[in-house]
Amino acid sequence: MAPPKALLLSAVSKFFEYDTPRIVHIRSKKVGIINRFIQLVIIGYIIGYVIVYKKGYQEFDNVQSAVTTKVKGIIFSNDSDIGTRTWDVADYVIPPQEANAFFVMTNVHPTLLQTQTTCPESISVSGAQCQSDEYCQKLLGTILPKGNGPVTGSCVPSGYGNVSVCSIFGWCPVENNVTFDARAFLASANFTVFIKNNIEFPKFDVTRRNLPEPGSIQLPENVTSIDAYLNSCMFNGDNPRDKYCPIFRLETIVNGAGVTYENISQEGGVMQIIIDWTCDLDYSENSCLPEYSFRRLDKGDYSISKGFNFRYADHFAMMVNDTSVMYRNLYKATGIRFLVTVQGQAGQFRIVPLLLNIGSGMALLGIATVLCDFVVLYLLKARAFYKEKKYLDVKGQDAFEVLREDSESKTSNEVKRRNQRLGEVTDANGSDA
Amino acid sequence: MAPPKALLLSAVSKFFEYDTPRIVHIRSKKVGIINRFIQLVIIGYIIGYVIVYKKGYQEFDNVQSAVTTKVKGIIFSNDSDIGTRTWDVADYVIPPQEANAFFVMTNVHPTLLQTQTTCPESISVSGAQCQSDEYCQKLLGTILPKGNGPVTGSCVPSGYGNVSVCSIFGWCPVENNVTFDARAFLASANFTVFIKNNIEFPKFDVTRRNLPEPGSIQLPENVTSIDAYLNSCMFNGDNPRDKYCPIFRLETIVNGAGVTYENISQEGGVMQIIIDWTCDLDYSENSCLPEYSFRRLDKGDYSISKGFNFRYADHFAMMVNDTSVMYRNLYKATGIRFLVTVQGQAGQFRIVPLLLNIGSGMALLGIATVLCDFVVLYLLKARAFYKEKKYLDVKGQDAFEVLREDSESKTSNEVKRRNQRLGEVTDANGSDA
Amino acid sequence: MAPPKALLLSAVSKFFEYDTPRIVHIRSKKVGIINRFIQLVIIGYIIGYVIVYKKGYQEFDNVQSAVTTKVKGIIFSNDSDIGTRTWDVADYVIPPQEANAFFVMTNVHPTLLQTQTTCPESISVSGAQCQSDEYCQKLLGTILPKGNGPVTGSCVPSGYGNVSVCSIFGWCPVENNVTFDARAFLASANFTVFIKNNIEFPKFDVTRRNLPEPGSIQLPENVTSIDAYLNSCMFNGDNPRDKYCPIFRLETIVNGAGVTYENISQEGGVMQIIIDWTCDLDYSENSCLPEYSFRRLDKGDYSISKGFNFRYADHFAMMVNDTSVMYRNLYKATGIRFLVTVQGQAGQFRIVPLLLNIGSGMALLGIATVLCDFVVLYLLKARAFYKEKKYLDVKGQDAFEVLREDSESKTSNEVKRRNQRLGEVTDANGSDA
């Protein structure tokens, strides 16, 4: 609008302008109620769900965690297979330490004092059985599928009845997987594990651990210090205090996943211990406490892949007639692998996320208008009337003509006259009357 | 509008109101086409990309996973360096079990029966070579860089030609890293690994495993049960059935990453096995199947950090003349470390995300108006006409004056008259004419 | 508007239409400034924060990583507890290799040559001390809490003063946890670790490693090649070049977390090595370099869970009078566990995220209108005037009546006349005057 000679001024004037949409303000019970209802739903969603329920006013940070575990427990076995002996942690926890995990052996099938020599192949290896050396000679040097070593070519007694097998060269004697029952020798309900979990929320510079802080829990009487409590306590999910005790009976963990200890300890399996740190740091840090839950991760029901077991060996040498010979003890270890998963996040009030959620929430209010307009302009009896109020019908030079001559002719004359200099506008008896 | 005495009523009346923007309804081919086109693009984006392609109608959950691996394979070595012997899993998989990983030794450089005593330092240690004891006396007690122990002070034959070196106290004999060739004794194309992967999508309470369920795959004829199939099958990415077989030849994995087995097994390396579970739970669970892919994670080309190897030792004692002496067998193990990464997420239809995506998508439609307005108000020939229809020009008391007197004077008189009681409005021949 | 006989045509005509809201264009310094200011804040937020600071114009990908570590260092111990011997990596790194982690033993309490037999229980086990066999007979077969095996029933001298304890059957001799001091025999400031980290950003097909590429860093003079540099360099966070050297003195890592090496190596602990790859791939790949930081993850201050230690054993057999007997060496290992965490993401320009951020940003501009309208319609002196310009007051058939007769009567007559055929509209002296 500014004359060309004052472009700058007009620019400045632009700065002092404000555009706001023109509104049709409809007073109508029907429309109003629809409108307010939809608005209510949307605002309810924004405030109730986004802001309050989803804590839209908070900034979040994920947990950084370190887990160390210490299993405790002694068990005495008196068994033909694994002998009369006492087992402690250094025997049945393999490897001695892992990150976020530990394995407890519940059953073991040892093959002791193996050395590299020749011996009969296992009779359970298909193709190992023989009647004569010729058969084995044909296999000379080959390793049978699932076999234990290259065939030497001689047919020897297997030691089981009068069955003969080809002899092989390898770790001898070979593992006897004929007579091995799946009892859980080493499964003791008394084993416990101390799970030490230090976490941090770097963004909020908050560090916590799963050992109750003094004051954060109420000690039992006759227990004076947290240390004393930790020396005696045992995790119990149902107890408001002991559900924060970081010492777990293995059986509690297994049962917590709805599995019986006998069941899983025979075939072995994989358990998950979930430590959840979901903290609202708008409250005291002391209310930021872990929650434990347990799941069984393997649900094996195929014979081929049942449970969880693996083979390992202790290698060593022995002096035999003043010469050292390499030996190994082979163990087929069955047991429970415990994985410790630490998850969760902390939130704390920040102004930015709040504004953003409100802002983007308000954008949703546009939906109310869309829906109401639909009702008002297409459903209501007086829709023609409202439409006319809402719309200013403007016909451009290149409007698409739909046999409108008649309808226009009505008013065309003075309209034309009025609008020559402007272009063209149809007088739809609109708000410009 | 309500008289002060009826505030409540007016409040109630507010409730029965509805505001909807007034619209200029322009009929013009040019503008219409531009408008519809932009709308089409945006709606196409929302429906085509956000809703359909990105599955905006679904809620998602990430996979929870447990992986256990079992390597199988026997190899016979007949070599000066590692001797004539048979190697099985308990020998070449170190450690026997890991979480989401396993290491297969492809080459080993053993130093057997080391014990704590004095012996010549390795000639490859810089500064170890000597002509006389004086030199070593100067070093007495110091540990040379990359040396094997404190120098004892005496200069002894190294055993290589007539080179002399200082003797040290430590694990003797020291590792001979002079003559060690990088052949891959233990690399066998026949080694296989059974990868057992149990996953869960907790949010949808769906658990799956990478063992094909009965019916989910079509068995080969003459194979009656899944178990039988799993006993015989071998992974093959190109075969519609065998690409779900969880038993892999190590060579297949390595080749799958575009690496030759010979190449990687000599220097060692790190491979990644990616198991991808991307599931659309709107379909049958049985269509939720894993996809395997393989990558090489280390691409070492510096001599200093070539491949992957590490040293480990078996410690034991031996009776030597009725006294026990501590020994160890030291191994420099070269091999391939396989990391198993399980990723992926599952989606299922939920109404909330659908509504949200539509809602926020509709907000984008505002862009269409912005762009079209720009065209209509600044580019079209009839822009002045449209502008006048769209805008009601209102001049506040404190409007910024840009030498408008002239332009106003035109119409000021009757305008002034008409508008005295209101404040001021310029008649821009606007929609209020 | 099209006659029923031409529905198709009207549909087509619909296509050539465009709706744009009618705007009140207010020229007012006050309102304008408020309006522009709010717009400025929002646009500033979008451009400054979302686009520029948060790189809203980029697509991001998370890092895929493989870490291998190699510890180097020799230490000589001369101590009553662990004897006179030289320790190397194969002795004090347990297990020899882990994924993304390594443990360095700084102190060890060995119990050598244990075998399965009977021996006095440890006097530190509560309930083990006895005066006579009767007491032990009562405990026959039971394993005392924290005991080392089932009680055999006889009361024997403990070997400490004249204290007697029940004898047990198990690994004998039992660990002596009476005299064990927490010195860090094996903590050497000279130990180093080579951390080899290969990463990949799959989406951008970019692979990097934490070994400086030729040309990416400026070599010291007299060092000719990267290999030579890597052979000699040592990480130093303060040095522009050495902060990319992947070889770390353990002490540097520990100090980097504000901990003294002596302190942590006595009780043991858990350290985190964070390798951060935050890369802007709009720049050269060579500028995509790692950043190292160090944190202590355990902050133990309870006596019960102080530091980090675990027990492991070497199992072996020995020939004793021509029969093999199983032995083990038990070690209580204290040390530092180092976890290597690789994090970070890479971003690269993409058009889609840019458009999306701009689009959703513009939606926020609606807030400016909301706020300004509030000012204009409720706070300004001339609010009535502006309200009248902005709103077209329309009264539906079912409007909620609030004693408005009077206010309406004013103008009702000609209005009624004018609007009979339309329904009803109150002339609020509005823009329809």
PDB file of all heavy atoms in Angstrom, chain A residues 352-377:
ATOM      1  N   VAL A 352      11.044 -26.907  28.483  1.00  0.00           N
ATOM      2  CA  VAL A 352      10.969 -27.063  27.019  1.00  0.00           C
ATOM      3  C   VAL A 352      10.010 -28.181  26.617  1.00  0.00           C
ATOM      4  O   VAL A 352       9.061 -27.948  25.877  1.00  0.00           O
ATOM      5  CB  VAL A 352      12.375 -27.283  26.416  1.00  0.00           C
ATOM      6  CG1 VAL A 352      12.268 -27.618  24.941  1.00  0.00           C
ATOM      7  CG2 VAL A 352      13.238 -26.048  26.613  1.00  0.00           C
ATOM      8  N   PRO A 353      10.202 -29.414  27.125  1.00  0.00           N
ATOM      9  CA  PRO A 353       9.282 -30.471  26.671  1.00  0.00           C
ATOM     10  C   PRO A 353       7.834 -30.138  26.986  1.00  0.00           C
ATOM     11  O   PRO A 353       6.940 -30.431  26.188  1.00  0.00           O
ATOM     12  CB  PRO A 353       9.747 -31.704  27.458  1.00  0.00           C
ATOM     13  CG  PRO A 353      10.617 -31.189  28.556  1.00  0.00           C
ATOM     14  CD  PRO A 353      11.205 -29.924  28.051  1.00  0.00           C
ATOM     15  N   LEU A 354       7.603 -29.459  28.128  1.00  0.00           N
ATOM     16  CA  LEU A 354       6.219 -29.106  28.459  1.00  0.00           C
ATOM     17  C   LEU A 354       5.635 -28.221  27.376  1.00  0.00           C
ATOM     18  O   LEU A 354       4.585 -28.518  26.787  1.00  0.00           O
ATOM     19  CB  LEU A 354       6.197 -28.376  29.809  1.00  0.00           C
ATOM     20  CG  LEU A 354       4.817 -27.912  30.274  1.00  0.00           C
ATOM     21  CD1 LEU A 354       3.864 -29.084  30.381  1.00  0.00           C
ATOM     22  CD2 LEU A 354       4.908 -27.182  31.592  1.00  0.00           C
ATOM     23  N   LEU A 355       6.350 -27.135  27.032  1.00  0.00           N
ATOM     24  CA  LEU A 355       5.847 -26.223  26.010  1.00  0.00           C
ATOM     25  C   LEU A 355       5.617 -26.969  24.699  1.00  0.00           C
ATOM     26  O   LEU A 355       4.577 -26.826  24.061  1.00  0.00           O
ATOM     27  CB  LEU A 355       6.836 -25.074  25.806  1.00  0.00           C
ATOM     28  CG  LEU A 355       6.949 -24.126  26.998  1.00  0.00           C
ATOM     29  CD1 LEU A 355       7.921 -22.991  26.688  1.00  0.00           C
ATOM     30  CD2 LEU A 355       5.585 -23.555  27.360  1.00  0.00           C
ATOM     31  N   LEU A 356       6.579 -27.794  24.330  1.00  0.00           N
ATOM     32  CA  LEU A 356       6.443 -28.494  23.049  1.00  0.00           C
ATOM     33  C   LEU A 356       5.187 -29.351  23.038  1.00  0.00           C
ATOM     34  O   LEU A 356       4.416 -29.330  22.088  1.00  0.00           O
ATOM     35  CB  LEU A 356       7.674 -29.367  22.804  1.00  0.00           C
ATOM     36  CG  LEU A 356       8.932 -28.618  22.396  1.00  0.00           C
ATOM     37  CD1 LEU A 356      10.032 -29.595  22.033  1.00  0.00           C
ATOM     38  CD2 LEU A 356       8.631 -27.705  21.218  1.00  0.00           C
ATOM     39  N   ASN A 357       4.963 -30.081  24.124  1.00  0.00           N
ATOM     40  CA  ASN A 357       3.791 -30.951  24.136  1.00  0.00           C
ATOM     41  C   ASN A 357       2.505 -30.140  24.077  1.00  0.00           C
ATOM     42  O   ASN A 357       1.557 -30.513  23.389  1.00  0.00           O
ATOM     43  CB  ASN A 357       3.815 -31.833  25.392  1.00  0.00           C
ATOM     44  CG  ASN A 357       4.756 -33.000  25.226  1.00  0.00           C
ATOM     45  OD1 ASN A 357       4.664 -33.737  24.246  1.00  0.00           O
ATOM     46  ND2 ASN A 357       5.690 -33.148  26.141  1.00  0.00           N
ATOM     47  N   ILE A 358       2.490 -29.017  24.804  1.00  0.00           N
ATOM     48  CA  ILE A 358       1.291 -28.173  24.750  1.00  0.00           C
ATOM     49  C   ILE A 358       1.115 -27.641  23.331  1.00  0.00           C
ATOM     50  O   ILE A 358       0.050 -27.742  22.724  1.00  0.00           O
ATOM     51  CB  ILE A 358       1.406 -27.012  25.762  1.00  0.00           C
ATOM     52  CG1 ILE A 358       1.353 -27.564  27.183  1.00  0.00           C
ATOM     53  CG2 ILE A 358       0.301 -25.999  25.529  1.00  0.00           C
ATOM     54  CD1 ILE A 358       1.567 -26.521  28.256  1.00  0.00           C
ATOM     55  N   GLY A 359       2.218 -27.141  22.772  1.00  0.00           N
ATOM     56  CA  GLY A 359       2.126 -26.564  21.429  1.00  0.00           C
ATOM     57  C   GLY A 359       1.596 -27.561  20.421  1.00  0.00           C
ATOM     58  O   GLY A 359       0.579 -27.325  19.770  1.00  0.00           O
ATOM     59  N   SER A 360       2.250 -28.723  20.349  1.00  0.00           N
ATOM     60  CA  SER A 360       1.811 -29.699  19.343  1.00  0.00           C
ATOM     61  C   SER A 360       0.434 -30.233  19.712  1.00  0.00           C
ATOM     62  O   SER A 360      -0.336 -30.636  18.846  1.00  0.00           O
ATOM     63  CB  SER A 360       2.820 -30.843  19.272  1.00  0.00           C
ATOM     64  OG  SER A 360       2.970 -31.422  20.566  1.00  0.00           O
ATOM     65  N   GLY A 361       0.113 -30.211  21.001  1.00  0.00           N
ATOM     66  CA  GLY A 361      -1.228 -30.632  21.381  1.00  0.00           C
ATOM     67  C   GLY A 361      -2.270 -29.678  20.833  1.00  0.00           C
ATOM     68  O   GLY A 361      -3.285 -30.090  20.263  1.00  0.00           O
ATOM     69  N   MET A 362      -1.991 -28.368  20.972  1.00  0.00           N
ATOM     70  CA  MET A 362      -2.971 -27.382  20.494  1.00  0.00           C
ATOM     71  C   MET A 362      -3.225 -27.549  19.008  1.00  0.00           C
ATOM     72  O   MET A 362      -4.332 -27.326  18.517  1.00  0.00           O
ATOM     73  CB  MET A 362      -2.491 -25.972  20.811  1.00  0.00           C
ATOM     74  CG  MET A 362      -2.704 -25.627  22.263  1.00  0.00           C
ATOM     75  SD  MET A 362      -2.301 -23.911  22.700  1.00  0.00           S
ATOM     76  CE  MET A 362      -1.402 -23.355  21.312  1.00  0.00           C
ATOM     77  N   ALA A 363      -2.174 -27.967  18.294  1.00  0.00           N
ATOM     78  CA  ALA A 363      -2.365 -28.176  16.855  1.00  0.00           C
ATOM     79  C   ALA A 363      -3.491 -29.169  16.620  1.00  0.00           C
ATOM     80  O   ALA A 363      -4.283 -29.033  15.680  1.00  0.00           O
ATOM     81  CB  ALA A 363      -1.075 -28.685  16.226  1.00  0.00           C
ATOM     82  N   LEU A 364      -3.616 -30.134  17.525  1.00  0.00           N
ATOM     83  CA  LEU A 364      -4.660 -31.152  17.353  1.00  0.00           C
ATOM     84  C   LEU A 364      -6.058 -30.541  17.458  1.00  0.00           C
ATOM     85  O   LEU A 364      -7.027 -31.059  16.909  1.00  0.00           O
ATOM     86  CB  LEU A 364      -4.500 -32.258  18.398  1.00  0.00           C
ATOM     87  CG  LEU A 364      -3.327 -33.203  18.192  1.00  0.00           C
ATOM     88  CD1 LEU A 364      -3.237 -34.202  19.332  1.00  0.00           C
ATOM     89  CD2 LEU A 364      -3.479 -33.944  16.871  1.00  0.00           C
ATOM     90  N   LEU A 365      -6.141 -29.389  18.172  1.00  0.00           N
ATOM     91  CA  LEU A 365      -7.469 -28.781  18.332  1.00  0.00           C
ATOM     92  C   LEU A 365      -8.089 -28.463  16.974  1.00  0.00           C
ATOM     93  O   LEU A 365      -9.305 -28.375  16.838  1.00  0.00           O
ATOM     94  CB  LEU A 365      -7.364 -27.513  19.180  1.00  0.00           C
ATOM     95  CG  LEU A 365      -7.296 -27.767  20.688  1.00  0.00           C
ATOM     96  CD1 LEU A 365      -7.053 -26.481  21.447  1.00  0.00           C
ATOM     97  CD2 LEU A 365      -8.579 -28.426  21.164  1.00  0.00           C
ATOM     98  N   GLY A 366      -7.223 -28.305  15.970  1.00  0.00           N
ATOM     99  CA  GLY A 366      -7.749 -28.054  14.638  1.00  0.00           C
ATOM    100  C   GLY A 366      -8.750 -29.118  14.216  1.00  0.00           C
ATOM    101  O   GLY A 366      -9.704 -28.855  13.494  1.00  0.00           O
ATOM    102  N   ILE A 367      -8.539 -30.334  14.734  1.00  0.00           N
ATOM    103  CA  ILE A 367      -9.439 -31.429  14.367  1.00  0.00           C
ATOM    104  C   ILE A 367     -10.866 -31.082  14.767  1.00  0.00           C
ATOM    105  O   ILE A 367     -11.817 -31.329  14.022  1.00  0.00           O
ATOM    106  CB  ILE A 367      -8.976 -32.738  15.039  1.00  0.00           C
ATOM    107  CG1 ILE A 367      -7.554 -33.061  14.598  1.00  0.00           C
ATOM    108  CG2 ILE A 367      -9.922 -33.876  14.707  1.00  0.00           C
ATOM    109  CD1 ILE A 367      -6.962 -34.263  15.289  1.00  0.00           C
ATOM    110  N   ALA A 368     -11.029 -30.464  15.950  1.00  0.00           N
ATOM    111  CA  ALA A 368     -12.377 -30.114  16.409  1.00  0.00           C
ATOM    112  C   ALA A 368     -13.078 -29.277  15.348  1.00  0.00           C
ATOM    113  O   ALA A 368     -14.203 -29.564  14.947  1.00  0.00           O
ATOM    114  CB  ALA A 368     -12.280 -29.351  17.720  1.00  0.00           C
ATOM    115  N   THR A 369     -12.387 -28.252  14.863  1.00  0.00           N
ATOM    116  CA  THR A 369     -12.992 -27.383  13.853  1.00  0.00           C
ATOM    117  C   THR A 369     -13.385 -28.184  12.618  1.00  0.00           C
ATOM    118  O   THR A 369     -14.514 -28.078  12.116  1.00  0.00           O
ATOM    119  CB  THR A 369     -11.985 -26.285  13.452  1.00  0.00           C
ATOM    120  OG1 THR A 369     -11.486 -25.683  14.645  1.00  0.00           O
ATOM    121  CG2 THR A 369     -12.651 -25.242  12.580  1.00  0.00           C
ATOM    122  N   VAL A 370     -12.466 -29.036  12.165  1.00  0.00           N
ATOM    123  CA  VAL A 370     -12.772 -29.828  10.964  1.00  0.00           C
ATOM    124  C   VAL A 370     -14.059 -30.606  11.167  1.00  0.00           C
ATOM    125  O   VAL A 370     -14.992 -30.535  10.362  1.00  0.00           O
ATOM    126  CB  VAL A 370     -11.601 -30.790  10.645  1.00  0.00           C
ATOM    127  CG1 VAL A 370     -11.984 -31.729   9.515  1.00  0.00           C
ATOM    128  CG2 VAL A 370     -10.346 -30.005  10.316  1.00  0.00           C
ATOM    129  N   LEU A 371     -14.141 -31.301  12.287  1.00  0.00           N
ATOM    130  CA  LEU A 371     -15.312 -32.159  12.519  1.00  0.00           C
ATOM    131  C   LEU A 371     -16.582 -31.315  12.643  1.00  0.00           C
ATOM    132  O   LEU A 371     -17.592 -31.577  12.005  1.00  0.00           O
ATOM    133  CB  LEU A 371     -15.086 -33.002  13.776  1.00  0.00           C
ATOM    134  CG  LEU A 371     -13.951 -34.009  13.669  1.00  0.00           C
ATOM    135  CD1 LEU A 371     -13.695 -34.690  15.005  1.00  0.00           C
ATOM    136  CD2 LEU A 371     -14.284 -35.054  12.610  1.00  0.00           C
ATOM    137  N   CYS A 372     -16.497 -30.248  13.442  1.00  0.00           N
ATOM    138  CA  CYS A 372     -17.697 -29.421  13.638  1.00  0.00           C
ATOM    139  C   CYS A 372     -18.136 -28.806  12.310  1.00  0.00           C
ATOM    140  O   CYS A 372     -19.320 -28.831  11.967  1.00  0.00           O
ATOM    141  CB  CYS A 372     -17.424 -28.313  14.645  1.00  0.00           C
ATOM    142  SG  CYS A 372     -17.287 -28.942  16.307  1.00  0.00           S
ATOM    143  N   ASP A 373     -17.160 -28.292  11.559  1.00  0.00           N
ATOM    144  CA  ASP A 373     -17.534 -27.716  10.260  1.00  0.00           C
ATOM    145  C   ASP A 373     -18.318 -28.736   9.447  1.00  0.00           C
ATOM    146  O   ASP A 373     -19.343 -28.427   8.842  1.00  0.00           O
ATOM    147  CB  ASP A 373     -16.276 -27.287   9.491  1.00  0.00           C
ATOM    148  CG  ASP A 373     -15.816 -25.919   9.940  1.00  0.00           C
ATOM    149  OD1 ASP A 373     -16.503 -25.334  10.800  1.00  0.00           O
ATOM    150  OD2 ASP A 373     -14.781 -25.438   9.453  1.00  0.00           O
ATOM    151  N   PHE A 374     -17.857 -29.949   9.472  1.00  0.00           N
ATOM    152  CA  PHE A 374     -18.560 -30.987   8.721  1.00  0.00           C
ATOM    153  C   PHE A 374     -20.010 -31.075   9.188  1.00  0.00           C
ATOM    154  O   PHE A 374     -20.947 -31.013   8.396  1.00  0.00           O
ATOM    155  CB  PHE A 374     -17.867 -32.337   8.916  1.00  0.00           C
ATOM    156  CG  PHE A 374     -18.539 -33.446   8.164  1.00  0.00           C
ATOM    157  CD1 PHE A 374     -18.387 -33.556   6.792  1.00  0.00           C
ATOM    158  CD2 PHE A 374     -19.346 -34.365   8.821  1.00  0.00           C
ATOM    159  CE1 PHE A 374     -19.011 -34.572   6.082  1.00  0.00           C
ATOM    160  CE2 PHE A 374     -19.975 -35.381   8.112  1.00  0.00           C
ATOM    161  CZ  PHE A 374     -19.803 -35.483   6.744  1.00  0.00           C
ATOM    162  N   VAL A 375     -20.182 -31.119  10.501  1.00  0.00           N
ATOM    163  CA  VAL A 375     -21.546 -31.188  11.036  1.00  0.00           C
ATOM    164  C   VAL A 375     -22.338 -29.960  10.598  1.00  0.00           C
ATOM    165  O   VAL A 375     -23.406 -30.057  10.008  1.00  0.00           O
ATOM    166  CB  VAL A 375     -21.514 -31.282  12.578  1.00  0.00           C
ATOM    167  CG1 VAL A 375     -22.922 -31.180  13.147  1.00  0.00           C
ATOM    168  CG2 VAL A 375     -20.831 -32.562  13.005  1.00  0.00           C
ATOM    169  N   VAL A 376     -21.761 -28.805  10.836  1.00  0.00           N
ATOM    170  CA  VAL A 376     -22.485 -27.564  10.598  1.00  0.00           C
ATOM    171  C   VAL A 376     -22.831 -27.398   9.119  1.00  0.00           C
ATOM    172  O   VAL A 376     -23.946 -27.033   8.760  1.00  0.00           O
ATOM    173  CB  VAL A 376     -21.662 -26.361  11.079  1.00  0.00           C
ATOM    174  CG1 VAL A 376     -22.317 -25.050  10.688  1.00  0.00           C
ATOM    175  CG2 VAL A 376     -21.464 -26.447  12.571  1.00  0.00           C
ATOM    176  N   LEU A 377     -21.895 -27.703   8.261  1.00  0.00           N
ATOM    177  CA  LEU A 377     -22.056 -27.354   6.847  1.00  0.00           C
ATOM    178  C   LEU A 377     -22.741 -28.445   6.038  1.00  0.00           C
ATOM    179  O   LEU A 377     -23.209 -28.203   4.929  1.00  0.00           O
ATOM    180  CB  LEU A 377     -20.697 -27.041   6.231  1.00  0.00           C
ATOM    181  CG  LEU A 377     -19.950 -25.874   6.883  1.00  0.00           C
ATOM    182  CD1 LEU A 377     -18.547 -25.764   6.334  1.00  0.00           C
ATOM    183  CD2 LEU A 377     -20.717 -24.583   6.678  1.00  0.00           C
TER     184      LEU A 377
END
